[in-house]
């Protein structure tokens, strides 16, 4: 459905009306912000960091009543035309005066522009730009221009419908780690053990980080481990991988950690602390990899 003609009428209509900041500018919020950002500049918290501009207008979990009907109608129109997904693309801010503790914040926002239909990697949709004017004690203190893309997601392939195209990247095998890959070919996960101090290490290295010794032998991992941390990969897509998939930092029962795939459970079921067990995955005729099977039971 082509709604391009209906979208332009929203330009210039309000996106938020008579918004009131839930707190006056205050030192506690400034201090928390600076700690989160790692900004130790001595001017703070006597004045607010300019980039905090939007923070003073945020409605928190309970939201604001300032949201306008026009904004809701625009989003309903876009949703109805199939542009149901949303992603924030960029933001620009302009600062006109300092914000200092005690300043009362009010704001209004306007739908500045709705783009023609555009096709991006994510899908086809419309960019919506809103501009918020932030006032301190009634005086314009800054503007916050925020752009989103409302889009129809590009066709997703069904589970199992398509095999990943392309070859999984090859490991770099060199003289420092050749023994590890020999172990993998025999279905043994080998951990290096320092000949000087006995410290276990993984990944393989030519020397010991604890004592500097270059003497070492190996111990075979039992195969038991737990998920120490993990990420679930959705984007960007790589030809050899079929997202979503979980990449775990696995803590082996011997105490060392290694990065590998968590298999056997849906990626969204992977949890920190989940017990996992080593197995060897035949990726293609030339490549076999140690991976870890999780259990959501
Ligand atoms: Zn050592």
């Amino acid at each position: 459905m082509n709604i391009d003609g209906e979208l332009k009428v929203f330009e210039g209509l309000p996106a938020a009306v008579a918004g009131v900041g839930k707190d006056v500018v205050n030192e506690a919020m400034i201090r928390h912000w600076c700690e989160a950002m790692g900004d130790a500049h001595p001017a703070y918290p006597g004045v607010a960091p300019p980039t905090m501009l939007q923070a003073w207008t945020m409605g928190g979990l309970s939201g604001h009543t300032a949201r306008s009907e026009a904004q809701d109608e625009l989003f309903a129109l876009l949703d109805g035309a199939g542009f149901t997904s949303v992603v924030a693309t960029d933001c620009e801010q302009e600062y006109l005066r300092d914000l200092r503790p005690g300043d009362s914040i009010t704001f209004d926002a306007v739908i500045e522009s709705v783009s023609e239909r555009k096709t991006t990697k994510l899908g086809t949709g419309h960019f919506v730009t809103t501009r918020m004017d932030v006032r301190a004690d009634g005086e314009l203190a800054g503007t916050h221009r925020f752009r989103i893309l409302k889009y129809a997601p590009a066709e997703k392939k069904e589970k199992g419908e398509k095999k990943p195209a392309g070859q999984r990247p090859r490991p770099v095998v060199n003289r420092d780690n050749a023994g590890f890959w020999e172990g993998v070919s025999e279905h043994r996960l080998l951990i290096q053990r320092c000949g000087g101090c006995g410290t276990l290490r993984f990944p393989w290295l030519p020397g010991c980080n604890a004592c500097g010794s270059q003497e070492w032998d190996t111990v075979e991992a039992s195969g038991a481990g737990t998920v120490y941390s993990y990420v679930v990969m959705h984007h960007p897509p790589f030809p050899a991988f079929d997202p979503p998939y979980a990449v775990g930092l696995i803590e082996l029962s011997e105490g060392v950690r290694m990065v590998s795939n968590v298999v056997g459970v849906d990626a969204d079921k992977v949890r920190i602390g989940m017990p996992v067990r080593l197995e060897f995955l035949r990726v293609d005729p030339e490549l076999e990899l140690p991976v870890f099977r999780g259990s959501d039971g």
Side-chain angles (χ1 to χ4, degrees), residues 10 40 83 115 124 130 141 144 233-234 240 252 276 288 291:
F10 288 91
F83 306 118
S115 79
T124 295
T130 54
H144 172 77
M233 285 296 294
H234 294 270
L252 301 178
V276 291
E288 205 165 15
V291 297

CSV table of all heavy atoms in Angstrom, one decimal, residues 10 40 83 115 124 130 141 144 233-234 240 252 276 288 291:
chain,number,residue,atom,x,y,z
A,10,PHE,N,1.6,15.1,8.1
A,10,PHE,CA,2.1,15.0,9.5
A,10,PHE,C,3.2,16.0,9.8
A,10,PHE,O,3.5,16.3,11.0
A,10,PHE,CB,2.4,13.6,9.9
A,10,PHE,CG,1.3,12.7,10.1
A,10,PHE,CD1,0.8,12.0,9.0
A,10,PHE,CD2,0.6,12.7,11.3
A,10,PHE,CE1,-0.3,11.1,9.2
A,10,PHE,CE2,-0.5,11.8,11.4
A,10,PHE,CZ,-1.0,11.1,10.4
A,40,ALA,N,35.0,12.7,34.5
A,40,ALA,CA,35.3,13.2,35.8
A,40,ALA,C,35.6,14.7,35.7
A,40,ALA,O,36.3,15.3,36.6
A,40,ALA,CB,36.6,12.5,36.3
A,83,PHE,N,4.7,-1.2,8.0
A,83,PHE,CA,6.0,-0.7,8.5
A,83,PHE,C,5.9,-0.9,10.0
A,83,PHE,O,5.9,0.1,10.8
A,83,PHE,CB,6.2,0.7,8.0
A,83,PHE,CG,6.1,0.9,6.6
A,83,PHE,CD1,5.2,1.7,6.0
A,83,PHE,CD2,7.0,0.2,5.7
A,83,PHE,CE1,5.1,1.9,4.6
A,83,PHE,CE2,6.9,0.3,4.3
A,83,PHE,CZ,5.9,1.2,3.8
A,115,SER,N,10.1,11.0,5.6
A,115,SER,CA,10.7,10.8,4.3
A,115,SER,C,9.8,10.1,3.3
A,115,SER,O,8.9,9.4,3.7
A,115,SER,CB,12.0,10.0,4.5
A,115,SER,OG,11.8,8.6,4.6
A,124,THR,N,12.2,-1.9,3.8
A,124,THR,CA,11.7,-0.7,3.2
A,124,THR,C,10.8,0.1,4.2
A,124,THR,O,10.1,-0.6,5.0
A,124,THR,CB,10.9,-1.0,2.0
A,124,THR,OG1,11.8,-1.6,1.0
A,124,THR,CG2,10.2,0.2,1.4
A,130,THR,N,11.9,13.8,14.5
A,130,THR,CA,11.2,14.7,15.4
A,130,THR,C,12.2,15.6,16.0
A,130,THR,O,13.4,15.3,16.2
A,130,THR,CB,10.5,13.9,16.5
A,130,THR,OG1,11.4,13.1,17.2
A,130,THR,CG2,9.4,13.1,16.0
A,141,ALA,N,16.9,26.1,25.8
A,141,ALA,CA,18.2,25.6,26.3
A,141,ALA,C,18.9,24.7,25.3
A,141,ALA,O,20.1,24.6,25.2
A,141,ALA,CB,18.1,24.9,27.6
A,144,HIS,N,16.8,18.8,20.4
A,144,HIS,CA,17.2,17.4,20.3
A,144,HIS,C,16.5,16.8,19.1
A,144,HIS,O,15.2,16.8,19.1
A,144,HIS,CB,16.8,16.7,21.6
A,144,HIS,CG,16.9,15.2,21.5
A,144,HIS,ND1,18.1,14.6,21.7
A,144,HIS,CD2,16.0,14.2,21.4
A,144,HIS,CE1,18.0,13.2,21.6
A,144,HIS,NE2,16.7,13.0,21.4
A,233,MET,N,24.1,-13.7,18.7
A,233,MET,CA,24.3,-12.9,17.4
A,233,MET,C,23.1,-12.9,16.6
A,233,MET,O,22.5,-14.0,16.2
A,233,MET,CB,25.5,-13.6,16.6
A,233,MET,CG,26.8,-13.4,17.2
A,233,MET,SD,27.3,-11.6,17.2
A,233,MET,CE,27.4,-11.4,15.4
A,234,HIS,N,22.6,-11.7,16.3
A,234,HIS,CA,21.5,-11.6,15.3
A,234,HIS,C,22.0,-10.9,14.0
A,234,HIS,O,21.5,-11.1,12.9
A,234,HIS,CB,20.4,-10.7,15.9
A,234,HIS,CG,19.7,-11.3,17.1
A,234,HIS,ND1,18.6,-12.1,16.9
A,234,HIS,CD2,20.0,-11.3,18.4
A,234,HIS,CE1,18.2,-12.6,18.1
A,234,HIS,NE2,19.0,-12.1,19.0
A,240,ALA,N,28.4,-17.8,6.5
A,240,ALA,CA,28.5,-19.2,7.0
A,240,ALA,C,27.7,-19.5,8.3
A,240,ALA,O,27.6,-20.6,8.8
A,240,ALA,CB,30.0,-19.6,7.3
A,252,LEU,N,35.6,-24.0,31.6
A,252,LEU,CA,35.8,-25.4,31.8
A,252,LEU,C,36.0,-25.8,33.2
A,252,LEU,O,36.4,-25.0,34.0
A,252,LEU,CB,37.0,-25.9,31.0
A,252,LEU,CG,37.0,-25.5,29.5
A,252,LEU,CD1,38.3,-26.0,28.8
A,252,LEU,CD2,35.8,-26.2,28.8
A,276,VAL,N,27.2,-27.0,30.5
A,276,VAL,CA,27.4,-27.4,29.1
A,276,VAL,C,28.4,-28.6,29.0
A,276,VAL,O,29.2,-28.8,30.0
A,276,VAL,CB,27.9,-26.2,28.2
A,276,VAL,CG1,26.8,-25.2,28.1
A,276,VAL,CG2,29.2,-25.6,28.8
A,288,GLU,N,36.5,-29.5,11.8
A,288,GLU,CA,35.8,-29.9,13.0
A,288,GLU,C,36.1,-29.0,14.1
A,288,GLU,O,37.2,-28.5,14.2
A,288,GLU,CB,36.2,-31.4,13.3
A,288,GLU,CG,35.2,-32.1,14.0
A,288,GLU,CD,35.5,-33.6,14.1
A,288,GLU,OE1,36.7,-34.0,13.7
A,288,GLU,OE2,34.6,-34.4,14.4
A,291,VAL,N,32.6,-27.6,20.4
A,291,VAL,CA,31.4,-26.7,20.7
A,291,VAL,C,30.9,-27.3,22.0
A,291,VAL,O,31.3,-28.3,22.5
A,291,VAL,CB,30.3,-26.7,19.6
A,291,VAL,CG1,30.9,-26.1,18.3
A,291,VAL,CG2,29.8,-28.1,19.4
